[in-house]
Amino acid sequence: MKGFSIFIRGWDNPGLAYMVEIAVEGECQGKGYGSYLLLQSLLYLKKNEISIVTLTVDPNNLRAQHLYCDKFGFEFVEYRKDEYGQGRDRLFLKLDMENWKQ
């Protein structure tokens, strides 16, 4: 296994999925595996009637932001200060799957 992604379907909104984690083994990073994994994950979610995908990302992780926003069309929703504890801020991003073009 070279990587994995974890999503949780919204309890009150089954058309919503939260991306909890996506990871690619260190030696495989920078080779397109992360993009491929995210693409396949999103295609699976769309096929299974997910209309909105959300996630959070570290504001300093420009590489991840580029992947999510520039390559896959996630949009910035809000800045969450101390989301994961003091000094652990996050950007909250959303992807509208109904208008998504891979």
Side-chain angles (χ1 to χ4, degrees):
M1 182 166 77
K2 300 294 182 189
F4 64 90
S5 61
I6 300 172
F7 292 85
I8 297 175
R9 185 170 243 169
W11 184 262
D12 294 332
N13 180 356
L16 174 71
Y18 302 96
M19 187 169 81
V20 177
E21 188 169 1
I22 186 167
V24 175
E25 189 174 281
E27 67 184 36
C28 296
Q29 293 179 2
K31 298 178 182 177
Y33 290 107
S35 294
Y36 180 77
L37 176 59
L38 182 56
L39 173 63
Q40 294 307 310
S41 298
L42 294 173
L43 290 171
Y44 176 84
L45 292 172
K46 187 168 184 165
K47 180 180 168 185
N48 285 277
E49 302 178 3
I50 296 296
S51 56
I52 300 288
V53 177
T54 62
L55 60 88
T56 65
V57 64
D58 185 320
N60 298 313
N61 190 341
L62 300 179
R63 189 171 169 186
Q65 289 177 53
H66 173 70
L67 175 67
Y68 300 135
C69 299
D70 300 334
K71 289 190 174 184
F72 284 92
F74 279 82
E75 296 179 351
F76 172 79
V77 175
E78 67 181 303
Y79 181 87
R80 295 182 173 178
K81 183 160 181 59
D82 300 328
E83 178 75 3
Y84 294 151
Q86 188 173 5
R88 298 189 65 198
D89 305 338
R90 305 296 282 179
L91 301 178
F92 184 74
L93 306 178
K94 177 178 90 170
L95 179 63
D96 177 355
M97 296 293 284
E98 293 181 11
N99 296 315
W100 178 60
K101 294 181 177 32
Q102 61 281 9

XYZ file of all heavy atoms in Angstrom:
842
model
N 0.841 -1.172 0.000
C 0.000 0.000 0.000
C 0.894 1.245 0.000
O 1.813 1.357 0.790
C -0.909 -0.014 1.234
C -1.837 1.153 1.274
S -3.191 1.026 2.443
C -2.355 1.373 3.965
N 0.592 2.155 -0.892
C 1.387 3.381 -1.029
C 0.689 4.603 -0.457
O 1.318 5.639 -0.267
C 1.711 3.635 -2.499
C 2.506 2.530 -3.145
C 3.875 2.429 -2.534
C 4.681 1.346 -3.209
N 5.928 1.059 -2.543
N -0.615 4.497 -0.191
C -1.346 5.629 0.348
C -2.772 5.246 0.692
O -3.215 4.136 0.415
N -3.477 6.191 1.302
C -4.875 5.949 1.656
C -5.598 7.282 1.816
O -4.979 8.332 1.990
C -4.981 5.142 2.950
C -4.448 5.857 4.156
C -5.260 6.667 4.929
C -3.112 5.717 4.524
C -4.753 7.330 6.040
C -2.604 6.372 5.632
C -3.427 7.186 6.395
N -6.918 7.221 1.749
C -7.753 8.383 2.038
C -8.896 7.922 2.933
O -9.365 6.791 2.814
C -8.284 9.031 0.755
O -9.075 8.125 0.025
N -9.311 8.817 3.827
C -10.397 8.515 4.753
C -11.429 9.631 4.648
O -11.093 10.808 4.770
C -9.900 8.416 6.207
C -8.856 7.319 6.352
C -11.080 8.173 7.161
C -8.179 7.290 7.709
N -12.674 9.237 4.432
C -13.788 10.172 4.361
C -14.863 9.720 5.336
O -15.027 8.523 5.576
C -14.397 10.193 2.949
C -13.490 10.779 1.917
C -12.532 9.999 1.299
C -13.598 12.108 1.558
C -11.684 10.523 0.341
C -12.753 12.646 0.605
C -11.804 11.857 -0.007
N -15.615 10.684 5.860
C -16.754 10.387 6.715
C -17.970 11.055 6.090
O -17.938 12.256 5.785
C -16.548 10.932 8.144
C -15.356 10.263 8.807
C -17.816 10.729 8.980
C -15.019 10.835 10.172
N -19.010 10.279 5.895
C -20.252 10.817 5.341
C -20.977 11.604 6.429
O -21.001 11.201 7.581
C -21.122 9.670 4.843
C -22.375 10.126 4.132
C -23.062 8.974 3.462
N -23.032 9.259 2.039
C -23.352 8.403 1.100
N -23.671 7.174 1.413
N -23.336 8.751 -0.153
N -21.564 12.732 6.047
C -22.288 13.562 7.005
C -23.453 12.813 7.627
O -24.241 12.182 6.923
N -23.551 12.886 8.936
C -24.625 12.183 9.655
C -25.992 12.745 9.290
O -26.916 12.000 8.973
C -24.381 12.305 11.160
C -25.355 11.549 11.979
C -26.468 12.038 12.596
C -25.333 10.153 12.276
N -27.125 11.042 13.255
C -26.453 9.872 13.079
C -24.462 9.118 11.939
C -26.726 8.593 13.549
C -24.738 7.852 12.406
C -25.858 7.589 13.197
N -26.119 14.071 9.324
C -27.393 14.726 9.033
C -27.565 15.038 7.555
O -28.655 15.418 7.132
C -27.518 16.027 9.834
C -27.596 15.779 11.325
O -28.068 14.697 11.734
O -27.186 16.668 12.092
N -26.489 14.900 6.792
C -26.530 15.196 5.365
C -25.729 14.122 4.630
O -24.517 14.273 4.451
C -25.957 16.584 5.095
C -25.976 16.945 3.625
O -26.356 16.146 2.775
N -25.551 18.157 3.314
N -26.380 13.052 4.186
C -25.645 11.960 3.535
C -25.012 12.335 2.196
O -24.226 11.577 1.650
C -26.691 10.863 3.372
C -28.005 11.526 3.516
C -27.798 12.758 4.323
N -25.319 13.525 1.677
C -24.679 13.991 0.454
C -23.384 14.741 0.705
O -22.728 15.195 -0.223
N -22.994 14.832 1.971
C -21.789 15.546 2.375
C -20.744 14.556 2.874
O -21.073 13.648 3.637
C -22.133 16.532 3.499
C -20.975 17.276 4.156
C -20.388 18.298 3.196
C -21.465 17.960 5.422
N -19.512 14.730 2.425
C -18.405 13.893 2.904
C -17.282 14.789 3.408
O -16.932 15.780 2.760
C -17.884 12.977 1.804
N -16.741 14.452 4.564
C -15.602 15.152 5.140
C -14.345 14.322 4.871
O -14.298 13.143 5.212
C -15.752 15.296 6.658
C -16.984 16.024 7.097
C -18.130 15.329 7.463
C -17.007 17.416 7.169
C -19.274 15.997 7.882
C -18.143 18.092 7.587
C -19.274 17.363 7.938
O -20.398 18.030 8.351
N -13.342 14.929 4.254
C -12.085 14.219 4.074
C -11.284 14.374 5.358
O -10.816 15.455 5.688
C -11.279 14.744 2.893
C -10.051 13.875 2.636
S -9.210 14.227 1.098
C -8.255 15.628 1.583
N -11.160 13.288 6.084
C -10.473 13.282 7.361
C -8.966 13.245 7.158
O -8.214 13.929 7.838
C -10.930 12.080 8.221
C -10.167 12.003 9.524
C -12.429 12.149 8.464
N -8.537 12.432 6.188
C -7.097 12.294 5.956
C -6.836 11.720 4.570
O -7.597 10.916 4.052
C -6.485 11.377 7.013
C -4.981 11.322 6.965
C -4.373 10.624 8.176
O -5.115 10.163 9.055
O -3.145 10.552 8.217
N -5.726 12.148 4.005
C -5.188 11.547 2.787
C -3.674 11.523 2.979
O -3.095 12.501 3.455
C -5.605 12.312 1.510
C -5.143 11.572 0.248
C -5.115 13.735 1.538
C -5.781 12.081 -1.031
N -3.071 10.410 2.670
C -1.627 10.274 2.899
C -1.015 9.382 1.830
O -1.629 8.425 1.371
C -1.370 9.680 4.281
N 0.204 9.729 1.465
C 0.990 8.942 0.516
C 2.348 8.690 1.156
O 2.937 9.584 1.758
C 1.148 9.694 -0.828
C 2.066 8.947 -1.771
C -0.207 9.928 -1.469
N 2.824 7.473 1.017
C 4.125 7.090 1.573
C 5.206 8.064 1.111
O 5.213 8.504 -0.042
C 4.448 5.667 1.106
C 5.652 5.063 1.756
C 5.817 3.607 1.341
O 5.109 2.754 1.893
O 6.653 3.374 0.459
N 6.123 8.392 2.001
C 7.161 9.386 1.729
C 7.905 9.204 0.426
O 8.102 10.159 -0.324
N 8.323 7.981 0.118
C 9.099 7.749 -1.108
C 8.266 7.927 -2.372
O 8.815 8.048 -3.462
C 9.713 6.346 -1.086
C 8.695 5.224 -1.171
C 9.303 3.842 -1.052
O 10.267 3.682 -0.284
O 8.803 2.936 -1.730
N 6.943 7.967 -2.245
C 6.051 8.124 -3.395
C 5.584 9.558 -3.591
O 4.934 9.865 -4.584
C 4.839 7.204 -3.246
S 5.276 5.464 -3.256
N 5.904 10.434 -2.661
C 5.464 11.822 -2.765
C 6.190 12.531 -3.897
O 7.336 12.232 -4.213
C 5.683 12.539 -1.429
C 4.780 11.997 -0.348
C 4.985 12.674 0.993
O 5.780 13.594 1.138
N 4.262 12.201 1.981
N 5.481 13.462 -4.516
C 6.057 14.231 -5.613
C 6.063 13.497 -6.938
O 6.677 13.950 -7.902
N 5.368 12.371 -7.013
C 5.347 11.561 -8.243
C 3.949 11.429 -8.833
O 3.731 10.631 -9.730
C 5.911 10.173 -7.957
C 7.357 10.205 -7.497
C 7.872 8.831 -7.188
C 9.312 8.917 -6.694
N 9.826 7.605 -6.304
N 2.995 12.196 -8.297
C 1.636 12.161 -8.828
C 0.703 11.178 -8.145
O -0.475 11.123 -8.472
N 1.199 10.402 -7.199
C 0.347 9.423 -6.513
C -0.750 10.109 -5.698
O -1.881 9.629 -5.648
C 1.160 8.509 -5.597
C 2.043 7.538 -6.328
C 3.418 7.720 -6.363
C 1.515 6.435 -6.984
C 4.253 6.826 -7.027
C 2.329 5.533 -7.653
C 3.703 5.734 -7.669
O 4.507 4.854 -8.333
N -0.424 11.218 -5.053
C -1.417 11.932 -4.256
C -2.545 12.472 -5.116
O -3.720 12.354 -4.755
N -2.196 13.037 -6.261
C -3.217 13.533 -7.195
C -4.094 12.400 -7.690
O -5.318 12.528 -7.763
C -2.557 14.221 -8.394
O -1.886 15.380 -7.997
N -3.461 11.296 -8.030
C -4.217 10.136 -8.516
C -5.142 9.592 -7.427
O -6.309 9.283 -7.689
C -3.258 9.046 -9.000
C -3.975 7.825 -9.525
C -4.561 7.843 -10.789
C -4.081 6.672 -8.759
C -5.232 6.728 -11.268
C -4.753 5.560 -9.232
C -5.326 5.589 -10.490
O -5.995 4.491 -10.965
N -4.635 9.486 -6.217
C -5.432 8.994 -5.099
C -6.614 9.921 -4.841
O -7.752 9.459 -4.660
C -4.574 8.868 -3.842
C -5.283 8.463 -2.552
C -5.984 7.119 -2.699
C -4.269 8.412 -1.409
N -6.392 11.225 -4.843
C -7.479 12.170 -4.620
C -8.499 12.089 -5.757
O -9.712 12.062 -5.515
C -6.938 13.589 -4.484
C -7.971 14.672 -4.197
C -8.783 14.368 -2.938
C -7.290 16.027 -4.077
N -8.035 12.006 -6.994
C -8.942 11.886 -8.138
C -9.818 10.648 -8.002
O -11.043 10.718 -8.149
C -8.157 11.839 -9.450
C -8.990 11.554 -10.709
C -10.012 12.657 -10.939
C -8.084 11.379 -11.916
N -9.203 9.507 -7.738
C -9.979 8.271 -7.619
C -10.954 8.326 -6.444
O -12.081 7.828 -6.534
C -9.044 7.060 -7.492
C -8.222 6.787 -8.730
C -9.068 6.671 -9.996
O -10.059 5.947 -10.031
N -8.687 7.384 -11.040
N -10.540 8.954 -5.357
C -11.418 9.101 -4.192
C -12.626 9.955 -4.542
O -13.766 9.604 -4.209
C -10.657 9.733 -3.024
O -9.594 8.918 -2.614
N -12.394 11.079 -5.222
C -13.492 11.969 -5.589
C -14.432 11.318 -6.599
O -15.656 11.474 -6.512
C -12.953 13.293 -6.121
C -12.211 14.157 -5.100
C -11.569 15.359 -5.783
C -13.117 14.585 -3.959
N -13.882 10.577 -7.544
C -14.727 9.861 -8.508
C -15.614 8.836 -7.798
O -16.800 8.695 -8.124
C -13.864 9.173 -9.573
C -13.170 10.107 -10.567
C -12.184 9.315 -11.430
C -14.192 10.838 -11.434
N -15.051 8.146 -6.831
C -15.819 7.177 -6.045
C -16.944 7.877 -5.274
O -18.087 7.408 -5.255
C -14.896 6.428 -5.084
C -15.632 5.480 -4.176
C -15.958 4.199 -4.615
C -16.034 5.873 -2.903
C -16.656 3.322 -3.791
C -16.734 5.016 -2.081
C -17.048 3.731 -2.529
O -17.751 2.879 -1.714
N -16.619 9.000 -4.651
C -17.627 9.735 -3.888
C -18.747 10.237 -4.795
O -19.928 10.132 -4.455
C -16.982 10.902 -3.139
C -16.031 10.520 -2.012
C -15.316 11.761 -1.492
C -16.750 9.799 -0.888
N -18.381 10.756 -5.950
C -19.396 11.257 -6.886
C -20.300 10.121 -7.344
O -21.525 10.281 -7.401
C -18.719 11.931 -8.081
C -19.699 12.624 -8.995
C -19.002 13.504 -9.993
C -20.050 14.242 -10.804
N -19.506 15.349 -11.544
N -19.712 8.998 -7.646
C -20.476 7.813 -8.068
C -21.442 7.365 -6.975
O -22.499 6.810 -7.264
C -19.507 6.680 -8.413
C -20.144 5.401 -8.850
C -19.092 4.361 -9.161
C -19.712 2.992 -9.315
N -18.699 1.958 -9.488
N -21.093 7.630 -5.726
C -21.913 7.213 -4.590
C -22.735 8.371 -4.012
O -23.025 8.406 -2.822
C -21.032 6.566 -3.520
C -20.625 5.182 -3.960
O -21.369 4.237 -3.802
N -19.442 5.068 -4.559
N -23.097 9.316 -4.899
C -24.059 10.373 -4.611
C -23.621 11.391 -3.553
O -24.443 11.963 -2.853
C -25.424 9.773 -4.267
C -25.953 8.910 -5.389
C -27.300 8.262 -5.067
O -27.863 8.522 -3.986
O -27.773 7.516 -5.923
N -22.320 11.614 -3.462
C -21.822 12.698 -2.608
C -21.835 13.973 -3.446
O -21.281 14.005 -4.552
C -20.392 12.393 -2.092
C -20.403 11.160 -1.193
C -19.805 13.600 -1.386
C -21.196 11.297 0.096
N -22.453 15.022 -2.919
C -22.554 16.266 -3.677
C -21.603 17.358 -3.169
O -21.264 18.281 -3.908
C -23.989 16.796 -3.651
O -24.439 16.963 -2.324
N -21.161 17.254 -1.916
C -20.236 18.225 -1.340
C -19.126 17.477 -0.599
O -19.400 16.562 0.169
C -20.943 19.162 -0.326
C -22.066 19.956 -0.988
C -19.940 20.082 0.361
C -21.607 21.045 -1.912
N -17.878 17.877 -0.836
C -16.739 17.328 -0.098
C -16.058 18.500 0.600
O -15.822 19.539 -0.014
C -15.733 16.621 -1.033
C -14.526 16.116 -0.257
C -16.405 15.475 -1.774
N -15.775 18.324 1.888
C -15.089 19.357 2.649
C -13.821 18.787 3.270
O -13.696 17.568 3.436
C -15.980 19.949 3.756
O -16.318 18.927 4.684
C -17.238 20.572 3.178
N -12.907 19.683 3.606
C -11.669 19.282 4.272
C -11.058 20.495 4.927
O -11.456 21.627 4.673
C -10.687 18.654 3.282
C -10.217 19.505 2.099
C -8.986 20.322 2.467
C -9.920 18.624 0.917
N -10.082 20.255 5.782
C -9.288 21.351 6.333
C -7.833 21.097 5.973
O -7.416 19.949 5.789
C -9.417 21.478 7.866
O -8.869 20.336 8.496
C -10.869 21.681 8.277
N -7.088 22.185 5.863
C -5.673 22.097 5.511
C -4.915 23.161 6.297
O -5.453 24.231 6.589
C -5.472 22.252 3.985
C -5.901 23.619 3.504
C -4.054 21.952 3.563
N -3.693 22.850 6.634
C -2.819 23.799 7.328
C -2.584 25.007 6.420
O -2.228 24.843 5.251
C -1.493 23.102 7.650
C -0.543 23.955 8.470
O -0.430 25.162 8.221
O 0.097 23.385 9.366
N -2.779 26.224 6.929
C -2.566 27.419 6.104
C -1.146 27.539 5.551
O -0.929 28.209 4.546
C -2.848 28.588 7.053
C -3.581 28.015 8.204
C -3.215 26.561 8.279
N -0.181 26.881 6.167
C 1.202 26.934 5.698
C 1.538 25.852 4.683
O 2.633 25.843 4.129
C 2.155 26.827 6.894
C 1.977 27.992 7.845
O 1.918 29.134 7.422
N 1.850 27.693 9.130
N 0.623 24.928 4.449
C 0.872 23.827 3.522
C 0.448 24.253 2.114
O -0.615 23.879 1.617
C 0.131 22.569 3.979
C 0.553 21.343 3.199
O 1.118 21.451 2.110
N 0.260 20.176 3.739
N 1.304 25.025 1.475
C 0.990 25.559 0.149
C 0.902 24.468 -0.909
O 0.120 24.578 -1.861
C 2.026 26.610 -0.242
C 2.116 27.814 0.705
C 3.193 28.787 0.237
C 0.780 28.502 0.854
N 1.665 23.427 -0.751
C 1.634 22.312 -1.704
C 0.254 21.637 -1.701
O -0.317 21.375 -2.755
C 2.724 21.318 -1.329
C 2.956 20.229 -2.314
C 4.195 19.462 -1.918
N 4.331 18.257 -2.688
C 5.239 17.352 -2.484
N 6.119 17.513 -1.517
N 5.317 16.281 -3.217
N -0.279 21.393 -0.516
C -1.607 20.780 -0.411
C -2.682 21.738 -0.926
O -3.599 21.314 -1.640
C -1.897 20.381 1.031
N -2.554 23.011 -0.605
C -3.533 23.990 -1.084
C -3.547 24.042 -2.607
O -4.609 24.142 -3.227
C -3.221 25.370 -0.518
C -3.500 25.490 0.955
C -3.117 26.857 1.477
O -3.545 27.872 0.935
N -2.299 26.887 2.517
N -2.374 23.974 -3.205
C -2.280 23.956 -4.675
C -3.005 22.731 -5.234
O -3.774 22.849 -6.199
C -0.804 23.955 -5.100
C -0.607 23.760 -6.565
N -0.951 24.722 -7.494
C -0.116 22.717 -7.262
C -0.676 24.265 -8.708
N -0.163 23.060 -8.597
N -2.773 21.587 -4.625
C -3.433 20.360 -5.081
C -4.951 20.494 -4.969
O -5.675 20.271 -5.943
C -2.949 19.158 -4.255
C -3.633 17.824 -4.543
C -3.291 17.330 -5.941
C -3.237 16.801 -3.500
N -5.425 20.866 -3.797
C -6.872 20.925 -3.578
C -7.557 22.017 -4.387
O -8.569 21.771 -5.049
C -7.187 21.131 -2.094
C -6.677 20.043 -1.190
C -6.030 20.353 0.004
C -6.824 18.700 -1.512
C -5.563 19.362 0.847
C -6.346 17.699 -0.679
C -5.727 18.046 0.499
O -5.252 17.057 1.323
N -7.012 23.213 -4.341
C -7.689 24.360 -4.959
C -7.392 24.507 -6.451
O -8.314 24.607 -7.265
C -7.326 25.644 -4.223
S -7.836 25.636 -2.489
N -6.123 24.520 -6.809
C -5.753 24.776 -8.199
C -5.994 23.577 -9.111
O -6.438 23.737 -10.245
C -4.290 25.207 -8.292
C -4.009 26.482 -7.502
O -4.944 27.288 -7.300
O -2.857 26.666 -7.078
N -5.716 22.393 -8.621
C -5.864 21.202 -9.466
C -7.254 20.576 -9.411
O -7.724 20.026 -10.398
C -4.830 20.144 -9.081
C -3.420 20.510 -9.482
C -2.487 19.347 -9.293
C -1.111 19.680 -9.830
N -0.195 18.535 -9.751
N -7.919 20.666 -8.247
C -9.187 19.957 -8.095
C -10.391 20.862 -7.877
O -11.517 20.375 -7.857
C -9.083 18.918 -6.978
C -8.308 17.705 -7.408
C -6.949 17.642 -7.193
C -8.923 16.665 -8.064
C -6.206 16.542 -7.609
C -8.202 15.565 -8.490
C -6.848 15.496 -8.260
N -10.183 22.152 -7.720
C -11.311 23.074 -7.664
C -11.954 23.301 -6.310
O -13.043 23.885 -6.231
N -11.303 22.869 -5.226
C -11.831 23.181 -3.901
C -11.798 24.696 -3.719
O -10.901 25.368 -4.232
C -10.982 22.534 -2.802
C -11.281 21.076 -2.563
C -10.726 20.106 -3.384
C -12.108 20.682 -1.517
C -10.985 18.765 -3.164
C -12.370 19.337 -1.297
C -11.815 18.377 -2.116
N -12.773 25.221 -2.988
C -12.852 26.648 -2.738
C -12.681 26.940 -1.255
O -13.149 26.176 -0.407
C -14.196 27.192 -3.215
C -14.368 27.059 -4.714
C -15.707 27.567 -5.195
O -16.586 27.879 -4.358
O -15.879 27.662 -6.422
N -12.025 28.064 -0.968
C -11.842 28.513 0.399
C -13.195 28.923 0.969
O -13.940 29.671 0.344
C -10.875 29.696 0.430
C -10.768 30.361 1.767
C -9.994 29.816 2.768
C -11.459 31.536 2.019
C -9.884 30.426 4.006
C -11.361 32.162 3.250
C -10.585 31.599 4.245
N -13.512 28.427 2.182
C -14.753 28.787 2.853
C -14.461 29.706 4.034
O -15.075 30.764 4.159
C -15.524 27.532 3.328
C -16.754 27.908 4.132
C -15.889 26.640 2.150
N -13.519 29.302 4.892
C -13.194 30.140 6.043
C -11.870 29.740 6.679
O -11.385 28.636 6.490
C -14.304 30.101 7.099
C -14.473 28.757 7.786
C -15.597 28.766 8.811
O -15.560 29.598 9.737
O -16.504 27.931 8.665
N -11.335 30.693 7.425
C -10.120 30.485 8.205
C -10.549 30.141 9.624
O -11.363 30.858 10.215
C -9.274 31.763 8.205
C -7.977 31.649 8.955
C -6.837 31.169 8.329
C -7.886 32.033 10.292
C -5.634 31.074 9.015
C -6.686 31.943 10.981
C -5.570 31.454 10.327
O -4.386 31.358 11.004
N -10.034 29.045 10.168
C -10.413 28.615 11.511
C -9.193 28.660 12.427
O -8.339 27.769 12.381
C -10.996 27.209 11.467
C -12.305 27.150 10.700
C -12.904 25.778 10.703
N -14.218 25.788 10.098
C -14.946 24.706 9.944
N -14.501 23.530 10.348
N -16.133 24.793 9.384
N -9.141 29.690 13.238
C -8.027 29.869 14.177
C -8.140 28.833 15.298
O -9.214 28.602 15.831
C -8.051 31.276 14.751
C -6.879 31.559 15.676
C -6.660 33.043 15.819
C -5.492 33.350 16.716
N -4.229 32.793 16.292
N -7.009 28.210 15.618
C -6.925 27.232 16.721
C -7.898 26.063 16.561
O -8.371 25.490 17.536
C -7.146 27.920 18.084
C -6.119 29.004 18.359
O -4.968 28.869 17.899
O -6.467 29.984 19.039
N -8.198 25.696 15.346
C -9.145 24.601 15.069
C -8.741 23.297 15.751
O -9.588 22.558 16.251
C -9.265 24.390 13.556
C -10.167 23.261 13.134
C -11.658 23.546 13.263
O -12.046 24.663 13.640
O -12.433 22.635 12.979
N -7.454 22.993 15.741
C -6.962 21.749 16.356
C -6.108 22.034 17.584
O -5.169 21.315 17.867
C -6.166 20.926 15.340
C -6.992 20.389 14.197
C -6.425 20.177 12.951
C -8.332 20.080 14.344
C -7.158 19.675 11.897
C -9.069 19.594 13.289
C -8.492 19.386 12.073
O -9.229 18.887 11.033
N -6.447 23.100 18.303
C -5.683 23.481 19.487
C -4.928 24.773 19.236
O -4.845 25.263 18.104
N -4.371 25.319 20.284
C -3.686 26.601 20.206
C -2.549 26.561 19.188
O -1.681 25.691 19.225
C -3.139 27.000 21.570
C -2.590 28.396 21.593
C -2.213 28.846 22.991
O -2.277 28.086 23.945
N -1.814 30.089 23.095
N -2.597 27.508 18.260
C -1.567 27.608 17.232
C -1.722 26.629 16.084
O -0.871 26.566 15.206
N -2.804 25.876 16.047
C -3.036 24.892 14.980
C -4.237 25.327 14.152
O -5.318 24.755 14.230
C -3.223 23.499 15.575
C -1.957 23.033 16.320
C -2.012 21.611 16.740
N -2.055 20.761 15.550
C -2.453 19.501 15.592
N -2.814 18.937 16.721
N -2.474 18.773 14.495
N -4.006 26.375 13.374
C -5.053 26.956 12.535
C -5.284 26.079 11.306
O -4.415 25.301 10.902
C -4.655 28.360 12.094
C -4.325 29.268 13.271
O -4.778 28.982 14.394
O -3.609 30.258 13.053
N -6.462 26.233 10.707
C -6.804 25.462 9.517
C -7.572 26.330 8.535
O -8.274 27.263 8.923
C -7.679 24.250 9.866
C -7.114 23.316 10.905
C -5.859 22.653 10.491
N -6.135 21.563 9.577
C -5.201 20.802 9.030
N -3.935 21.020 9.306
N -5.498 19.837 8.211
N -7.465 25.998 7.263
C -8.320 26.553 6.228
C -9.397 25.513 5.962
O -9.092 24.328 5.806
C -7.536 26.817 4.943
C -6.360 27.776 5.030
C -5.684 27.879 3.666
C -6.790 29.131 5.516
N -10.632 25.948 5.907
C -11.753 25.057 5.616
C -12.077 25.207 4.134
O -12.341 26.320 3.664
C -12.953 25.426 6.491
C -14.128 24.510 6.348
C -14.107 23.243 6.908
C -15.249 24.911 5.650
C -15.198 22.398 6.786
C -16.343 24.075 5.515
C -16.320 22.813 6.086
N -12.029 24.109 3.385
C -12.252 24.113 1.940
C -13.452 23.261 1.586
O -13.784 22.308 2.292
C -11.017 23.582 1.207
C -9.679 24.234 1.510
C -8.567 23.541 0.739
C -9.705 25.714 1.192
N -14.080 23.577 0.442
C -15.270 22.845 0.001
C -15.210 22.627 -1.503
O -14.761 23.500 -2.257
C -16.516 23.648 0.359
C -17.813 23.038 -0.108
C -19.003 23.875 0.326
C -19.297 24.888 -0.736
N -20.564 25.598 -0.552
N -15.691 21.475 -1.940
C -15.804 21.153 -3.362
C -17.243 20.786 -3.667
O -17.798 19.861 -3.048
C -14.884 19.996 -3.732
C -14.917 19.533 -5.182
C -14.442 20.632 -6.125
C -14.093 18.270 -5.371
N -17.849 21.501 -4.611
C -19.206 21.205 -5.074
C -19.087 20.142 -6.163
O -18.678 20.431 -7.287
C -19.855 22.477 -5.616
C -21.236 22.255 -6.184
O -21.711 21.105 -6.267
O -21.868 23.262 -6.570
N -19.444 18.928 -5.826
C -19.271 17.806 -6.747
C -20.213 17.870 -7.955
O -19.932 17.299 -8.995
C -19.481 16.480 -6.013
C -18.457 16.209 -4.932
S -16.807 15.943 -5.592
C -16.995 14.282 -6.208
N -21.343 18.556 -7.790
C -22.306 18.634 -8.904
C -21.756 19.468 -10.052
O -22.124 19.242 -11.200
C -23.633 19.175 -8.393
C -24.295 18.177 -7.440
C -25.622 18.660 -6.927
O -26.162 19.664 -7.428
O -26.139 18.004 -5.996
N -20.880 20.418 -9.765
C -20.283 21.251 -10.803
C -18.818 20.920 -11.068
O -18.150 21.605 -11.823
C -20.412 22.730 -10.425
C -21.860 23.151 -10.357
O -22.651 22.834 -11.225
N -22.217 23.851 -9.289
N -18.317 19.880 -10.410
C -16.914 19.508 -10.522
C -16.617 18.863 -11.865
O -17.345 17.991 -12.330
C -16.558 18.555 -9.379
C -15.150 18.050 -9.401
C -14.021 18.786 -9.334
C -14.741 16.688 -9.485
N -12.913 17.965 -9.362
C -13.331 16.668 -9.454
C -15.409 15.477 -9.586
C -12.592 15.498 -9.523
C -14.691 14.311 -9.655
C -13.293 14.336 -9.621
N -15.540 19.314 -12.457
C -15.062 18.717 -13.709
C -13.649 18.210 -13.468
O -12.752 18.976 -13.180
C -15.084 19.761 -14.817
C -16.474 20.213 -15.185
C -16.400 21.211 -16.303
C -17.682 21.714 -16.836
N -18.815 21.882 -16.093
N -13.490 16.913 -13.563
C -12.176 16.325 -13.332
C -11.401 16.473 -14.588
O -10.399 16.517 -14.884
C -12.258 14.875 -12.886
C -12.891 13.909 -13.820
C -14.419 13.922 -13.832
O -15.086 14.753 -13.268
N -15.005 13.013 -14.521
